[in-house]
Amino acid sequence: MKRIVTIQDISCFGKCSITVALPLISAMGIECAIIPTSVLSTHTGGFEGFTFRDLSDDISKIKEHWKKYNLEFDTIYTGYLGSKEQIDSVIDFIDDFKKESTLVFVDPAMADKGKLYTGFNSEFPSHMARLCSKADIIVPNITEASFMLDIPYTESYDEEYIKDILKKLCGLGCKKAVLTGISFEKSTQGVVYYNSETEEYYSYFNENIPASFHGTGDTFSSVLAGALSLGMNHEKALQIAVDFTVKTIKETIPYREKHNYGTMFESCIPYLLDKISG
Ligand code: PXL
């Protein structure tokens, strides 16, 4: 059985980060270990007055304990991290646990729609860029990519611009990059992927649904990290991750008034299992 460790926060209510990654990765038949980096009462988008318990000190303690047991992971998958100190501890973790065959998957979850999430200062993206330099694959949206590359955020772009950003992202040090939430025409949205080792690009699009829910980035990343860990090629893994994310959004739209804090991804798990076995 494949084994992933995911390192990100627990948002107790709201469906994102670990409460999305753990059920999806487990459902895909992959063992999922976790390192919770902080505990929040809710995610930081759309809720006022959330609590935040910093578990930064625990990251290195958990790491040292695990080293005594020589634990091994097929994939190290990182998501939302709350501070520079957490990023430093995660980099130490990668240095200690990455083997030749380990996939290091970094989702630099910190911003969307041109803005950093609540709680991050303008220096944070440069630290996230340091973590990205350690990755085999990174999956930023355009906002996160723009912050890490220190270029202006724009919503009007063409294919050439996106390809250039992908090359620049790989210039940070990662081997492969996926830009998420890309829309060249109104009716479609999807991802563009670049492999700097083979210099190949691949794009995959699905419907552009005029609705946005928290945690959809985490859904995409968890399924992509899972599919790649299972040994699928990038094309198939990206297709499954995009299609599943779209399915969860469509599933939630009829209930969006009461369920605007996250998607009803749970009822889409049978669809996911069907896709990965097909
Ligand atoms: O989905 C990304 C995410 C993860 N964790 C926390 C967040 C967010 C997005 O807002 O607030 C705490």
Side-chain angles (χ1 to χ4, degrees):
M1 182 177 269
K2 297 288 182 186
R3 182 188 288 152
I4 293 181
V5 55
T6 189
I7 311 178
Q8 43 186 331
D9 70 285
I10 294 184
S11 290
C12 299
F13 185 86
K15 292 202 263 192
C16 66
S17 38
I18 286 183
T19 62
V20 168
L22 189 50
L24 288 178
I25 291 169
S26 299
M28 294 173 85
I30 302 166
E31 180 179 341
C32 187
I34 60 168
I35 300 187
T37 52
S38 49
V39 178
L40 294 87
S41 49
T42 63
H43 57 62
T44 63
F47 293 97
E48 301 271 306
F50 51 85
T51 68
F52 182 91
R53 181 170 297 274
D54 189 352
L55 300 179
S56 300
D57 292 347
D58 295 53
I59 303 174
S60 56
K61 289 184 191 156
I62 292 169
K63 181 191 75 169
E64 291 308 319
H65 185 217
W66 285 4
K67 274 165 76 175
K68 292 195 180 117
Y69 286 87
N70 295 319
L71 299 187
E72 294 187 5
F73 301 97
D74 298 290
T75 300
I76 300 170
Y77 156 34
T78 74
Y80 178 100
L81 298 168
S83 63
K84 169 197 176 291
E85 288 68 32
Q86 292 192 352
I87 288 180
D88 289 338
S89 301
V90 170
I91 290 175
D92 285 348
F93 182 91
I94 293 170
D95 287 342
D96 284 357
F97 280 86
K98 181 175 166 56
K99 299 238 155 68
E100 182 86 25
S101 62
T102 310
L103 176 73
V104 176
F105 183 109
V106 173
D107 180 352
M110 61 180 167
D112 200 8
K113 301 188 180 91
K115 288 197 180 117
L116 287 170
Y117 293 148
T118 307
F120 292 128
N121 63 27
S122 58
E123 276 164 31
F124 189 74
S126 66
H127 297 297
M128 196 53 106
R130 275 194 300 123
L131 175 58
C132 286
S133 76
K134 294 268 173 189
D136 293 299
I137 181 162
I138 66 170
V139 292
N141 58 34
I142 292 220
T143 304
E144 290 155 348
S146 305
F147 273 113
M148 288 195 293
L149 297 173
D150 202 15
I151 55 172
Y153 167 74
T154 175
E155 284 175 14
S156 68
Y157 47 74
D158 58 11
E159 205 176 321
E160 206 185 322
Y161 182 82
I162 294 301
K163 286 185 165 175
D164 183 50
I165 291 209
L166 283 162
K167 276 198 170 164
K168 287 186 172 133
L169 285 169
C170 289
L172 295 174
C174 54
K175 297 191 188 97
K176 295 158 186 166
V178 179
L179 270 172
T180 62
I182 301 300
S183 184
F184 293 124
E185 46 190 65
K186 260 196 175 155
S187 58
T188 61
Q189 189 184 144
V191 295
V192 187
Y193 159 87
Y194 177 61
N195 180 339
S196 66
E197 292 177 325
T198 58
E199 298 191 1
E200 276 166 331
Y201 291 95
Y202 172 72
S203 311
Y204 182 71
F205 297 94
N206 195 318
E207 267 176 75
N208 189 7
I209 303 168
S212 79
F213 292 94
H214 260 88
T216 47
D218 301 332
T219 300
F220 170 80
S221 292
S222 302
V223 172
L224 183 61
L228 294 174
S229 304
L230 289 173
M232 281 177 210
N233 63 38
H234 283 86
E235 288 82 353
K236 182 153 189 232
L238 285 165
Q239 287 167 24
I240 291 178
V242 168
D243 290 347
F244 180 71
T245 307
V246 169
K247 171 95 177 150
T248 65
I249 295 171
K250 282 186 168 171
E251 185 84 3
T252 315
I253 283 182
Y255 310 95
R256 68 204 284 184
E257 279 192 20
K258 281 200 168 159
H259 211 284
N260 59 354
Y261 53 85
T263 68
M264 298 164 87
F265 71 85
E266 297 87 341
S267 40
C268 304
I269 287 176
Y271 168 93
L272 174 62
L273 301 192
D274 210 41
K275 284 269 171 177
I276 61 172
S277 62

